Amino acid sequence: MSTEIKTIEAFSVTGFQARTTNAAEQNPQTGKIGGLWQQFFGSPLFQPTAGVVGVYSHYESDAMGTFDVTAGVPSDAIASGAAPANTQTVQIQAGQYLVFRGKGAMPQAVIDAWGQIWQHFGQPRTDVARVYRTDFEQYIGADEVAIHIGVRQLG
C-alpha cells in the first residue's frame, strides 16, 4: 500500500459521536463504531454529496487508550441549524498526515486499510511518529477511503 504525507488545514466535522477503545471494538458486543455508522447513515445528516468523514479524536494516550469516534460530514456542508440536536462538532487539527488508501467493498476496504496502518506503525519508525490528536477517514465514493493519520517528522 502506498502512502503519502499531506499537510491538512484545520476543518470541522459534525456528526454522531461515541467514546470507545480498540480493545472494545474487537468484540461485537462491546464495539460502538458499527452502531455509530448505522445511526449516521439512517439520519438526515447523511448526504452522499456532502462528503462522509470519520474522525478519531480526544485520545486518552495512544492506540491502547480511549478515544472519540465521530461519523459525520464537514460542518460547512450543513445548512445553519440543520444538524440534529444529538450531534457533536469536532475540529480536525491542522498539520501533517500520513495518508493510507483503501479501495473495494465497504467496510472491508476500511478494515484492510487499518490493518496496513497497524502494521506500518507496529514497526520501529525513523521517519514519522503518530501524534494521537486527530486522525480521519475521508470517504471517496462508495468504494474508496483515504485514512489520514496525524504524524510528526522524526530526526
Side-chain angles (χ1 to χ4, degrees):
M1 173 179 285
S2 65
T3 60
E4 64 178 317
I5 292 183
K6 291 179 77 174
T7 299
I8 302 293
E9 297 297 322
F11 68 97
S12 296
V13 172
T14 299
F16 300 98
Q17 195 172 84
R19 190 139 182 93
T20 191
T21 64
N22 283 316
E25 293 306 316
Q26 298 304 311
N27 182 338
Q29 295 183 340
T30 58
K32 298 178 181 177
I33 294 176
L36 184 70
W37 281 106
Q38 286 180 343
Q39 180 183 13
F40 170 74
F41 287 124
S43 80
L45 195 57
F46 172 58
Q47 308 264 334
T49 58
V52 174
V53 182
V55 182
Y56 301 83
S57 62
H58 302 108
Y59 287 96
E60 175 183 55
S61 55
D62 56 17
M64 304 308 290
T66 59
F67 54 90
D68 289 342
V69 180
T70 306
V73 297
S75 299
D76 62 4
I78 303 169
S80 179
N86 57 341
T87 59
Q88 303 290 321
T89 298
V90 63
Q91 177 95 357
I92 301 293
Q93 294 187 6
Q96 290 189 321
Y97 288 81
L98 187 58
V99 182
F100 295 80
R101 298 191 180 274
K103 190 164 178 67
M106 297 294 170
Q108 193 60 49
V110 176
I111 294 167
D112 292 346
W114 274 106
Q116 292 292 321
I117 293 165
W118 294 124
Q119 182 179 10
H120 183 88
F121 287 104
Q123 304 170 26
R125 308 280 341 145
T126 58
D127 53 348
V128 296
R130 284 189 73 179
V131 294
Y132 294 100
R133 284 182 260 169
T134 53
D135 302 315
F136 66 99
E137 301 165 347
Q138 182 178 27
Y139 291 85
I140 306 158
D143 68 348
E144 189 174 353
V145 64
I147 302 176
H148 299 69
I149 304 298
V151 296
R152 67 176 168 79
Q153 297 286 332
L154 295 174

